[in-house]
Amino acid sequence: MTEPRFPTPLPTLEPAAYTLSDLVGVRCAGVAAGIKASGRPDVALLVADAPLAVAGVFTRNRYAAAPVEVCRAQLEKSSGRVRAIVVNSGNANACTGEGGLADAWAMARRVARLVGCPEEQVLVSSTGVIGRRLPMERVLAGIDAAHASLEAGSEAGRRFLAAIMTTDAFPKEASAELTASAAGLRVAGVCKGAGMIEPDMATMLAYVGTDLALEPEALRRALPRIASRSFNGVHVDGHASTNDSFLLFSTGAKRVDASAEAAAFAAVERVARRLAWLIARDGEGASKVTTIEVRGARSDEAALSMARAVAHSALVRTALFGNDPNWGRFVSQVGNSPELGDARALRCALDGVVVFERGEPVVFDAAELSRRMASTDDLVLRFELGDGTGEASVMTSDLGYRYVEVNAEYTT
Amino acid sequence: MTEPRFPTPLPTLEPAAYTLSDLVGVRCAGVAAGIKASGRPDVALLVADAPLAVAGVFTRNRYAAAPVEVCRAQLEKSSGRVRAIVVNSGNANACTGEGGLADAWAMARRVARLVGCPEEQVLVSSTGVIGRRLPMERVLAGIDAAHASLEAGSEAGRRFLAAIMTTDAFPKEASAELTASAAGLRVAGVCKGAGMIEPDMATMLAYVGTDLALEPEALRRALPRIASRSFNGVHVDGHASTNDSFLLFSTGAKRVDASAEAAAFAAVERVARRLAWLIARDGEGASKVTTIEVRGARSDEAALSMARAVAHSALVRTALFGNDPNWGRFVSQVGNSPELGDARALRCALDGVVVFERGEPVVFDAAELSRRMASTDDLVLRFELGDGTGEASVMTSDLGYRYVEVNAEYTT
């Protein structure tokens, strides 16, 4: 892409204290295999000394990519016990038919041979251009090179992260270390994803690991809640890509009292939520992340459907970009929902300032609120209803000139 | 608003052969009453010599404006027999509470007194800023002036049209005259509406009339189908404004054989559909209207939900703006739908060129198709499914820099 006409200031990010290869027995690598024309890193490999317990959630898109099909099959066959995860960027291996499926299996086989593990203990992800076959010679050579350079420690994890990125404007990582009852227990995660840019479908790939000893079954049980409070709560474009994958794994290295498990899961959720926030922050040209909270709905489902309607609205998103406390657009989306019960009970607050109440706008200092919108990249738009106890929260990014530039001008 | 940074070329429009005041016994007026700061016309009045048969569909938004509530009550009370329609632009009289409702009733009463008809025979519409009370002194003086200048003929109808416009980039009118069995029978319509611009909620107001003699009950029966194939098929932003109204009326002047009624209704539908197309064409900064057709779905509802998902997608709309035949974005929306049955049966064609078939992209000349997209303002994106006989069609406008400019920078 040429120089952007509408560059966007990036957020200030602290590096995470730990990455995936800071977990016990985990080594990572990231190499440039020539899949990307840019020459940037594009093959990432994670290998564990002992089988990891793994659970995954994947795209619901009916045109799920070949690697997603492979992951589903492998997790089933291996009962969630996995030694390695291989990822390529630059090509999504999606909409590639039977040939593409064979390519994804070939990636898993190559890794299994190098690692010396059963084939079903290897998971595969891809992200990048869709509708084109992988350059398999380069991919396999890249896997060999990645395997030869596997290392433990933070730097290796960052090379893994660099090799999964596509149109990301910045790397996305997060970590947590528990104190008290589970002192020293680590959670680390990396992800890639932004808005959906063609020809890359802006796949979201996320890998979160912990040393907390957990069986695959416990991970599978915990995953839906963690996913719904993090990655499934990001609504930038309403598209689920063909390749979206979120893998949660445990090295099994640290056993803790049952009493500490809740704290450990809370830490995993925090890490996943932070990663999801970073994806929303990287919406093309986004100046801020807005968390849409709906409370007091008939049900959680009703709340979610209203929150999504607000988050998807191009009108709401352009108002947020313009730092315009535009209660008309916000409230109109909720007012259009068949899930809204008592319309007069609706209260809408932006950054804590009530802008609409009892069916009418409230007098507020619009200029001051606009200034507050402009000075933060983490905004909360809250709707309080009088219909029940259902609640939901989703994150969206605003929509500005840069969004149009990348999505209209970066063409096939 | 200041000079746009991203001006959009307007479409070439032929004036309609007839307007509302070319119908038998209908007079129109449009005057500047000072509601709009710009000094442009803002009070429109239509008066019929004899009661019109009228049916209406209105916004489903729970924060429906005061004039919408008045219209619903009047149509009920008058059994769909109406002498006058009064419209103001520049102020939507929405979210204005009990006081706003009293204002809307006062407008109806003033017209009834001037026309000399029962109060329930007057309908009221408003469009413009929401959340502010009407300047009633100016509104009532404007009604008096409009009544004093009522005239028949095309020019008066165009003054009516000018006075209902708000952010419209061009006037929207359409007409049809029947030949053969109902020779000379006229259908005329005007409307206003574009994307949703704050503080104006971009209300859609449409008035379509015919000389075909029809009872209110026949109009009510025909209205849902006509609305769903025209105005309800426009999906620019997914917002239903607080004021959206579509009134269909008959002067009752011309009786025709039952055999000619179908042709007359088809002409009404054509006029309504053309008006709806003009609204989609006037999406802020839109360069074209894209009609999304879905065929072969499980049901009409399933088809509609998929067509809407495509039409609402900011990613699809930016690709259309960029003249990018981006099958990945198009197909992904349908692939995400829980309504999709046989994913392998999906076929997607843009402007008649098949771009996706049997789960995989098709080789096509992207540069040539892009040139074709750039050279038309009336594009068809068709999805053929293998699930049944359900079908739907909606219109959307593309999303470019100008959309962001008006929606982000035209702030409160």
Side-chain angles (χ1 to χ4, degrees):
Chain A
M1 207 176 339
T2 51
E3 277 298 297
R5 283 194 282 154
F6 303 102
T8 311
L10 296 182
T12 315
L13 297 171
E14 297 290 321
Y18 308 104
T19 70
L20 298 175
S21 37
D22 291 306
L23 299 172
V24 178
V26 173
R27 287 171 300 147
C28 283
V31 301
I35 308 170
K36 287 177 179 163
S38 66
R40 288 184 156 176
D42 46 20
V43 170
L45 184 63
L46 178 152
V47 174
D49 294 344
L52 303 166
V54 185
V57 283
F58 303 96
T59 183
R60 287 179 197 160
N61 195 300
R62 292 292 297 279
Y63 300 102
V68 168
E69 290 192 41
V70 168
C71 279
R72 286 185 175 129
Q74 300 286 64
L75 286 174
E76 177 77 27
K77 202 171 169 199
S78 69
S79 303
R81 299 281 178 189
V82 162
R83 285 287 302 284
I85 302 169
V86 61
V87 188
N88 77 272
S89 56
N91 184 314
N93 195 8
C95 296
T96 45
E98 292 302 317
L101 197 56
D103 293 342
W105 283 116
M107 289 173 68
R109 262 199 312 279
R110 182 69 147 237
V111 172
R113 210 180 69 201
L114 291 166
V115 171
C117 70
E119 193 185 312
E120 68 263 26
Q121 291 190 358
V122 181
L123 301 179
V124 183
S125 305
S126 299
T127 177
V129 183
I130 72 171
R132 290 191 212 150
R133 290 288 295 277
L134 280 169
M136 282 306 288
E137 208 168 310
R138 291 178 183 189
V139 170
L140 296 176
I143 289 173
D144 294 347
H147 183 259
S149 63
L150 284 167
E151 276 180 32
S154 292
E155 288 315 305
R158 296 220 162 88
R159 284 194 291 273
F160 177 98
L161 172 52
I164 70 172
M165 289 168 64
T166 54
T167 55
D168 301 69
F170 49 84
K172 300 174 180 76
E173 55 174 15
S175 69
E177 183 165 351
L178 275 75
T179 49
S181 58
L185 183 70
R186 289 175 180 175
V187 180
V190 300
C191 71
K192 63 85 45 179
M196 180 166 160
I197 307 183
E198 207 286 331
D200 176 8
M201 304 271 288
T203 285
M204 186 220 74
L205 299 180
Y207 308 94
V208 176
T210 174
D211 287 324
L212 177 71
L214 287 167
E215 294 301 305
E217 181 51 33
L219 290 171
R220 274 193 291 273
R221 271 202 313 272
L223 196 58
R225 181 190 157 94
I226 293 167
S228 77
R229 291 178 171 235
S230 56
F231 304 107
N232 287 342
V234 178
H235 288 268
V236 175
D237 284 316
H239 276 243
S241 109
T242 49
N243 293 58
D244 288 348
S245 305
F246 168 30
L247 295 173
L248 177 61
F249 67 84
S250 156
T251 62
K254 309 240 177 188
R255 307 210 163 266
V256 300
D257 294 346
S259 65
E261 270 202 15
F265 274 117
V268 169
E269 190 176 305
R270 262 201 320 278
V271 166
R273 209 172 157 78
R274 170 69 181 168
L275 292 174
W277 188 91
L278 289 168
I279 288 176
R281 183 65 183 78
D282 199 7
E284 295 110 347
S287 68
K288 64 183 81 64
V289 176
T290 303
T291 302
I292 320 281
E293 297 183 352
V294 176
R295 301 189 177 177
R298 274 176 193 155
S299 64
D300 288 351
E301 293 69 34
L304 185 60
S305 110
M306 286 189 260
R308 280 182 174 159
V310 176
H312 285 171
S313 162
L315 284 164
V316 168
R317 293 172 62 203
T318 44
L320 294 170
F321 176 77
N323 298 310
D324 179 9
N326 194 318
W327 58 268
R329 293 190 198 170
F330 308 150
V331 166
S332 171
Q333 282 295 353
V334 173
N336 277 327
S337 170
E339 302 285 2
L340 178 62
D342 180 2
R344 305 284 301 182
L346 175 65
R347 188 176 199 208
C348 174
L350 182 66
D351 197 28
V353 178
V354 176
V355 295
F356 191 87
E357 203 167 20
R358 285 186 289 276
E360 289 177 41
V362 167
V363 176
F364 63 93
D365 185 340
E368 166 59 19
L369 186 49
S370 178
R371 274 192 296 275
R372 281 164 64 175
M373 292 173 78
S375 68
T376 182
D377 69 352
D378 194 7
L379 198 65
V380 174
L381 174 58
R382 179 178 295 174
F383 298 89
E384 290 169 41
L385 283 64
D387 300 334
T389 58
E391 54 181 62
S393 164
V394 307
M395 288 177 261
T396 193
S397 53
D398 52 5
L399 192 165
Y401 297 110
R402 174 77 182 139
Y403 180 93
V404 176
E405 184 178 11
V406 275
N407 285 301
E409 300 194 7
Y410 181 19
T411 59
T412 2
Chain B
M1 207 176 337
T2 49
E3 276 299 295
R5 284 193 281 154
F6 303 101
T8 310
L10 296 182
T12 315
L13 297 171
E14 297 290 321
Y18 307 104
T19 70
L20 297 175
S21 38
D22 290 306
L23 299 172
V24 178
V26 174
R27 288 171 298 147
C28 283
V31 301
I35 308 170
K36 287 176 178 163
S38 66
R40 288 183 156 177
D42 46 20
V43 170
L45 183 63
L46 178 153
V47 174
D49 293 345
L52 304 166
V54 185
V57 282
F58 303 97
T59 183
R60 287 180 195 159
N61 195 302
R62 293 292 298 278
Y63 299 102
V68 168
E69 291 192 41
V70 168
C71 279
R72 286 185 176 128
Q74 300 285 65
L75 286 174
E76 177 78 27
K77 202 171 170 199
S78 68
S79 304
R81 299 281 178 189
V82 161
R83 286 285 304 283
I85 303 170
V86 61
V87 189
N88 77 272
S89 56
N91 184 314
N93 196 7
C95 296
T96 44
E98 292 303 317
L101 197 57
D103 293 342
W105 282 116
M107 288 172 70
R109 261 199 312 277
R110 182 69 146 238
V111 172
R113 212 181 65 203
L114 291 165
V115 172
C117 70
E119 192 184 313
E120 67 263 26
Q121 292 191 356
V122 181
L123 300 179
V124 183
S125 304
S126 299
T127 176
V129 183
I130 72 169
R132 289 191 212 151
R133 290 286 297 277
L134 281 169
M136 281 306 288
E137 207 167 313
R138 292 178 183 190
V139 171
L140 296 177
I143 290 173
D144 294 347
H147 183 260
S149 62
L150 284 167
E151 276 180 31
S154 292
E155 289 314 306
R158 297 221 162 87
R159 284 194 291 272
F160 177 98
L161 171 52
I164 70 172
M165 290 169 63
T166 54
T167 55
D168 300 69
F170 48 85
K172 300 173 181 76
E173 56 175 16
S175 69
E177 182 164 351
L178 275 73
T179 50
S181 58
L185 184 68
R186 290 175 180 176
V187 181
V190 300
C191 73
K192 60 89 42 178
M196 181 166 159
I197 307 182
E198 206 286 331
D200 177 6
M201 305 271 288
T203 286
M204 187 221 72
L205 298 180
Y207 308 94
V208 176
T210 174
D211 287 324
L212 176 71
L214 287 166
E215 293 301 304
E217 181 51 31
L219 290 171
R220 274 193 292 272
R221 272 200 315 271
L223 196 57
R225 182 190 157 94
I226 294 168
S228 77
R229 292 176 170 238
S230 56
F231 303 107
N232 285 343
V234 178
H235 288 268
V236 175
D237 284 316
H239 276 242
S241 109
T242 48
N243 293 58
D244 287 348
S245 305
F246 168 30
L247 296 173
L248 177 61
F249 66 83
S250 156
T251 63
K254 308 241 178 189
R255 307 210 162 263
V256 299
D257 293 347
S259 65
E261 270 203 13
F265 274 117
V268 169
E269 191 175 305
R270 263 200 323 278
V271 166
R273 209 172 157 78
R274 170 70 181 167
L275 293 174
W277 188 92
L278 289 167
I279 289 177
R281 184 66 183 77
D282 199 7
E284 295 110 346
S287 68
K288 64 182 82 60
V289 175
T290 303
T291 302
I292 320 281
E293 297 182 354
V294 175
R295 300 187 178 179
R298 275 176 192 155
S299 64
D300 289 351
E301 292 69 34
L304 185 60
S305 112
M306 285 188 261
R308 281 183 174 160
V310 176
H312 285 171
S313 162
L315 284 163
V316 169
R317 294 171 62 202
T318 45
L320 295 169
F321 176 76
N323 298 310
D324 179 11
N326 194 319
W327 57 270
R329 292 189 198 170
F330 308 151
V331 166
S332 171
Q333 282 295 352
V334 174
N336 276 328
S337 170
E339 303 283 3
L340 177 63
D342 180 4
R344 305 284 300 183
L346 176 65
R347 188 175 200 212
C348 175
L350 182 65
D351 199 27
V353 178
V354 176
V355 295
F356 191 88
E357 202 165 22
R358 286 186 290 276
E360 289 176 40
V362 168
V363 175
F364 63 92
D365 185 341
E368 166 58 19
L369 187 49
S370 178
R371 274 190 297 275
R372 282 165 63 175
M373 291 172 79
S375 68
T376 181
D377 68 352
D378 195 7
L379 198 66
V380 174
L381 174 59
R382 180 177 294 174
F383 298 89
E384 289 169 41
L385 284 64
D387 301 333
T389 58
E391 55 181 62
S393 163
V394 307
M395 289 176 259
T396 193
S397 53
D398 52 4
L399 190 165
Y401 297 109
R402 174 77 183 140
Y403 181 93
V404 177
E405 184 179 10
V406 273
N407 284 302
E409 300 194 7
Y410 182 19
T411 59
T412 6

